[in-house]
Short mmCIF file of all heavy atoms in Angstrom, two decimals:
data_model
loop_
_atom_site.label_atom_id
_atom_site.label_comp_id
_atom_site.label_asym_id
_atom_site.label_seq_id
_atom_site.Cartn_x
_atom_site.Cartn_y
_atom_site.Cartn_z
N SER A 116 0.83 -1.21 0.00
CA SER A 116 0.00 0.00 0.00
C SER A 116 0.86 1.25 0.00
O SER A 116 0.53 2.25 -0.66
CB SER A 116 -0.92 0.01 1.23
OG SER A 116 -1.81 -1.08 1.20
N PHE A 117 1.96 1.22 0.72
CA PHE A 117 2.88 2.36 0.84
C PHE A 117 3.77 2.50 -0.39
O PHE A 117 3.87 3.57 -1.00
CB PHE A 117 3.71 2.15 2.11
CG PHE A 117 4.82 3.13 2.35
CD1 PHE A 117 4.57 4.48 2.55
CD2 PHE A 117 6.14 2.69 2.46
CE1 PHE A 117 5.61 5.37 2.83
CE2 PHE A 117 7.18 3.56 2.74
CZ PHE A 117 6.91 4.91 2.92
N LEU A 118 4.41 1.41 -0.78
CA LEU A 118 5.44 1.47 -1.81
C LEU A 118 4.88 1.76 -3.20
O LEU A 118 5.60 2.26 -4.06
CB LEU A 118 6.23 0.15 -1.84
CG LEU A 118 7.08 -0.14 -0.60
CD1 LEU A 118 7.71 -1.52 -0.68
CD2 LEU A 118 8.16 0.93 -0.40
N ARG A 119 3.60 1.48 -3.43
CA ARG A 119 3.06 1.73 -4.78
C ARG A 119 3.05 3.22 -5.12
O ARG A 119 2.92 3.59 -6.29
CB ARG A 119 1.67 1.13 -4.93
CG ARG A 119 0.58 1.78 -4.12
CD ARG A 119 -0.69 0.93 -4.20
NE ARG A 119 -1.73 1.46 -3.37
CZ ARG A 119 -2.93 1.84 -3.81
NH1 ARG A 119 -3.20 1.75 -5.10
NH2 ARG A 119 -3.83 2.30 -2.99
N TYR A 120 3.18 4.07 -4.11
CA TYR A 120 3.21 5.52 -4.35
C TYR A 120 4.64 6.06 -4.48
O TYR A 120 4.82 7.25 -4.72
CB TYR A 120 2.51 6.27 -3.20
CG TYR A 120 1.03 6.02 -3.13
CD1 TYR A 120 0.50 5.17 -2.17
CD2 TYR A 120 0.15 6.63 -4.03
CE1 TYR A 120 -0.87 4.94 -2.10
CE2 TYR A 120 -1.21 6.40 -3.97
CZ TYR A 120 -1.71 5.56 -2.99
OH TYR A 120 -3.07 5.33 -2.93
N LEU A 121 5.64 5.20 -4.32
CA LEU A 121 7.02 5.67 -4.30
C LEU A 121 7.77 5.26 -5.56
O LEU A 121 7.46 4.25 -6.18
CB LEU A 121 7.75 5.08 -3.08
CG LEU A 121 7.18 5.43 -1.70
CD1 LEU A 121 8.07 4.88 -0.60
CD2 LEU A 121 7.01 6.93 -1.53
N PRO A 122 8.80 6.05 -5.92
CA PRO A 122 9.61 5.69 -7.08
C PRO A 122 10.56 4.54 -6.75
O PRO A 122 10.72 4.15 -5.59
CB PRO A 122 10.40 6.98 -7.36
CG PRO A 122 10.51 7.64 -6.02
CD PRO A 122 9.21 7.32 -5.30
N GLU A 123 11.18 4.00 -7.79
CA GLU A 123 12.24 3.00 -7.56
C GLU A 123 13.38 3.65 -6.78
O GLU A 123 13.65 4.85 -6.92
CB GLU A 123 12.79 2.50 -8.90
CG GLU A 123 11.88 1.53 -9.62
CD GLU A 123 12.58 0.94 -10.84
OE1 GLU A 123 13.66 0.32 -10.66
OE2 GLU A 123 12.07 1.12 -11.94
N HIS A 124 14.06 2.85 -5.97
CA HIS A 124 15.21 3.33 -5.19
C HIS A 124 14.85 4.58 -4.38
O HIS A 124 15.62 5.55 -4.32
CB HIS A 124 16.42 3.61 -6.10
CG HIS A 124 16.70 2.50 -7.06
ND1 HIS A 124 17.02 1.21 -6.65
CD2 HIS A 124 16.68 2.46 -8.43
CE1 HIS A 124 17.19 0.45 -7.72
NE2 HIS A 124 16.99 1.17 -8.79
N ALA A 125 13.67 4.57 -3.81
CA ALA A 125 13.18 5.72 -3.05
C ALA A 125 13.99 5.93 -1.79
O ALA A 125 14.57 5.00 -1.23
CB ALA A 125 11.71 5.52 -2.69
N SER A 126 14.02 7.18 -1.35
CA SER A 126 14.62 7.54 -0.07
C SER A 126 13.52 7.43 1.00
O SER A 126 12.54 8.17 0.95
CB SER A 126 15.16 8.97 -0.14
OG SER A 126 15.55 9.40 1.14
N ILE A 127 13.69 6.50 1.94
CA ILE A 127 12.66 6.22 2.94
C ILE A 127 13.23 6.39 4.34
O ILE A 127 14.34 5.92 4.63
CB ILE A 127 12.12 4.78 2.79
CG1 ILE A 127 11.44 4.59 1.45
CG2 ILE A 127 11.15 4.44 3.93
CD1 ILE A 127 11.01 3.15 1.17
N LEU A 128 12.48 7.05 5.20
CA LEU A 128 12.81 7.13 6.63
C LEU A 128 11.84 6.24 7.40
O LEU A 128 10.63 6.40 7.31
CB LEU A 128 12.69 8.56 7.14
CG LEU A 128 12.87 8.74 8.66
CD1 LEU A 128 14.29 8.36 9.08
CD2 LEU A 128 12.53 10.16 9.10
N ASP A 129 12.40 5.29 8.15
CA ASP A 129 11.61 4.47 9.07
C ASP A 129 11.65 5.19 10.42
O ASP A 129 12.65 5.13 11.14
CB ASP A 129 12.18 3.06 9.16
CG ASP A 129 11.28 2.10 9.94
OD1 ASP A 129 10.34 2.58 10.61
OD2 ASP A 129 11.51 0.89 9.88
N LEU A 130 10.57 5.89 10.74
CA LEU A 130 10.51 6.79 11.90
C LEU A 130 9.93 6.04 13.09
O LEU A 130 8.73 5.85 13.19
CB LEU A 130 9.66 8.01 11.54
CG LEU A 130 9.53 9.11 12.59
CD1 LEU A 130 10.89 9.70 12.93
CD2 LEU A 130 8.59 10.21 12.08
N GLY A 131 10.82 5.60 13.98
CA GLY A 131 10.39 4.74 15.08
C GLY A 131 10.46 3.29 14.63
O GLY A 131 9.47 2.58 14.56
N CYS A 132 11.67 2.85 14.29
CA CYS A 132 11.84 1.60 13.54
C CYS A 132 11.71 0.35 14.40
O CYS A 132 11.60 -0.75 13.86
CB CYS A 132 13.18 1.60 12.82
SG CYS A 132 14.62 1.53 13.92
N GLY A 133 11.73 0.49 15.74
CA GLY A 133 11.58 -0.69 16.59
C GLY A 133 12.63 -1.75 16.29
O GLY A 133 13.83 -1.48 16.31
N SER A 134 12.17 -2.93 15.95
CA SER A 134 13.08 -4.05 15.71
C SER A 134 13.93 -3.88 14.45
O SER A 134 14.94 -4.55 14.27
CB SER A 134 12.27 -5.35 15.57
OG SER A 134 11.45 -5.30 14.42
N GLY A 135 13.50 -3.00 13.54
CA GLY A 135 14.18 -2.84 12.26
C GLY A 135 13.56 -3.67 11.15
O GLY A 135 14.02 -3.64 10.01
N ARG A 136 12.50 -4.39 11.46
CA ARG A 136 11.83 -5.29 10.51
C ARG A 136 11.48 -4.57 9.20
O ARG A 136 11.79 -5.07 8.10
CB ARG A 136 10.55 -5.82 11.16
CG ARG A 136 9.61 -6.60 10.26
CD ARG A 136 8.23 -6.68 10.89
NE ARG A 136 7.61 -5.37 10.99
CZ ARG A 136 6.76 -5.03 11.97
NH1 ARG A 136 6.43 -5.88 12.91
NH2 ARG A 136 6.24 -3.81 11.98
N ASP A 137 10.85 -3.40 9.30
CA ASP A 137 10.37 -2.73 8.09
C ASP A 137 11.52 -2.08 7.34
O ASP A 137 11.56 -2.12 6.10
CB ASP A 137 9.30 -1.71 8.46
CG ASP A 137 8.14 -2.34 9.23
OD1 ASP A 137 7.89 -3.55 9.06
OD2 ASP A 137 7.49 -1.63 10.02
N ALA A 138 12.46 -1.51 8.06
CA ALA A 138 13.64 -0.92 7.41
C ALA A 138 14.38 -1.98 6.59
O ALA A 138 14.82 -1.72 5.47
CB ALA A 138 14.57 -0.30 8.45
N LEU A 139 14.51 -3.18 7.16
CA LEU A 139 15.17 -4.27 6.44
C LEU A 139 14.39 -4.65 5.18
O LEU A 139 14.99 -4.86 4.11
CB LEU A 139 15.33 -5.49 7.35
CG LEU A 139 15.97 -6.72 6.70
CD1 LEU A 139 17.38 -6.43 6.24
CD2 LEU A 139 15.95 -7.90 7.68
N ALA A 140 13.08 -4.70 5.28
CA ALA A 140 12.25 -5.04 4.12
C ALA A 140 12.44 -4.01 3.01
O ALA A 140 12.63 -4.37 1.84
CB ALA A 140 10.79 -5.14 4.52
N PHE A 141 12.40 -2.73 3.36
CA PHE A 141 12.56 -1.69 2.35
C PHE A 141 13.96 -1.72 1.74
O PHE A 141 14.13 -1.52 0.54
CB PHE A 141 12.27 -0.31 2.96
CG PHE A 141 10.87 -0.15 3.48
CD1 PHE A 141 10.62 0.57 4.64
CD2 PHE A 141 9.79 -0.71 2.82
CE1 PHE A 141 9.33 0.73 5.12
CE2 PHE A 141 8.49 -0.56 3.30
CZ PHE A 141 8.27 0.16 4.45
N LYS A 142 14.96 -1.99 2.56
CA LYS A 142 16.33 -2.15 2.05
C LYS A 142 16.38 -3.30 1.04
O LYS A 142 16.98 -3.17 -0.03
CB LYS A 142 17.27 -2.40 3.23
CG LYS A 142 18.71 -2.70 2.84
CD LYS A 142 19.53 -3.07 4.09
CE LYS A 142 20.90 -3.60 3.72
NZ LYS A 142 21.66 -4.04 4.92
N ASN A 143 15.75 -4.41 1.38
CA ASN A 143 15.77 -5.58 0.50
C ASN A 143 14.99 -5.35 -0.79
O ASN A 143 15.24 -6.01 -1.80
CB ASN A 143 15.24 -6.81 1.23
CG ASN A 143 16.20 -7.31 2.30
OD1 ASN A 143 17.39 -6.98 2.27
ND2 ASN A 143 15.70 -8.06 3.26
N PHE A 144 14.03 -4.41 -0.76
CA PHE A 144 13.31 -4.03 -1.99
C PHE A 144 14.12 -3.08 -2.86
O PHE A 144 13.69 -2.70 -3.94
CB PHE A 144 11.98 -3.35 -1.64
CG PHE A 144 10.90 -4.29 -1.15
CD1 PHE A 144 10.17 -3.98 -0.01
CD2 PHE A 144 10.61 -5.47 -1.82
CE1 PHE A 144 9.16 -4.83 0.45
CE2 PHE A 144 9.61 -6.32 -1.37
CZ PHE A 144 8.89 -6.00 -0.23
N GLY A 145 15.30 -2.66 -2.38
CA GLY A 145 16.18 -1.82 -3.18
C GLY A 145 16.07 -0.33 -2.91
O GLY A 145 16.57 0.49 -3.69
N HIS A 146 15.44 0.04 -1.80
CA HIS A 146 15.29 1.45 -1.48
C HIS A 146 16.46 1.94 -0.60
O HIS A 146 17.17 1.14 0.02
CB HIS A 146 13.95 1.69 -0.78
CG HIS A 146 12.78 1.34 -1.65
ND1 HIS A 146 12.45 2.06 -2.78
CD2 HIS A 146 11.87 0.34 -1.57
CE1 HIS A 146 11.39 1.52 -3.36
NE2 HIS A 146 11.02 0.47 -2.64
N GLN A 147 16.62 3.25 -0.55
CA GLN A 147 17.65 3.89 0.28
C GLN A 147 16.99 4.21 1.63
O GLN A 147 16.12 5.07 1.69
CB GLN A 147 18.16 5.17 -0.38
CG GLN A 147 18.64 4.98 -1.81
CD GLN A 147 19.75 3.96 -1.91
OE1 GLN A 147 20.73 4.03 -1.18
NE2 GLN A 147 19.60 2.99 -2.81
N VAL A 148 17.39 3.53 2.67
CA VAL A 148 16.65 3.56 3.93
C VAL A 148 17.47 4.17 5.05
O VAL A 148 18.64 3.84 5.23
CB VAL A 148 16.20 2.14 4.35
CG1 VAL A 148 15.31 2.20 5.60
CG2 VAL A 148 15.46 1.45 3.20
N GLU A 149 16.84 5.06 5.79
CA GLU A 149 17.36 5.54 7.07
C GLU A 149 16.38 5.12 8.15
O GLU A 149 15.18 4.99 7.89
CB GLU A 149 17.52 7.07 7.07
CG GLU A 149 18.58 7.56 6.11
CD GLU A 149 18.72 9.08 6.16
OE1 GLU A 149 18.37 9.70 7.18
OE2 GLU A 149 19.17 9.65 5.16
N ALA A 150 16.87 4.93 9.36
CA ALA A 150 16.00 4.48 10.45
C ALA A 150 16.36 5.21 11.74
O ALA A 150 17.52 5.50 12.00
CB ALA A 150 16.13 2.97 10.64
#
């Protein structure tokens, strides 16, 4: 639902990343991730 609005290799901030689960997923999808 989130990623369909973003470009390829998007710059994403995981704000309140907790375990890091979502940041890792976005990294594995090829995005540029900060957490």
Side-chain angles (χ1 to χ4, degrees):
S116 297
F117 173 63
L118 294 175
R119 68 189 176 121
Y120 293 104
L121 300 185
E123 284 188 59
H124 313 299
S126 171
I127 297 174
L128 174 65
D129 189 347
L130 184 60
C132 67
S134 66
R136 171 198 65 211
D137 304 333
L139 178 62
F141 298 142
K142 175 185 170 184
N143 289 340
F144 286 133
H146 298 292
Q147 306 302 309
V148 185
E149 294 181 23

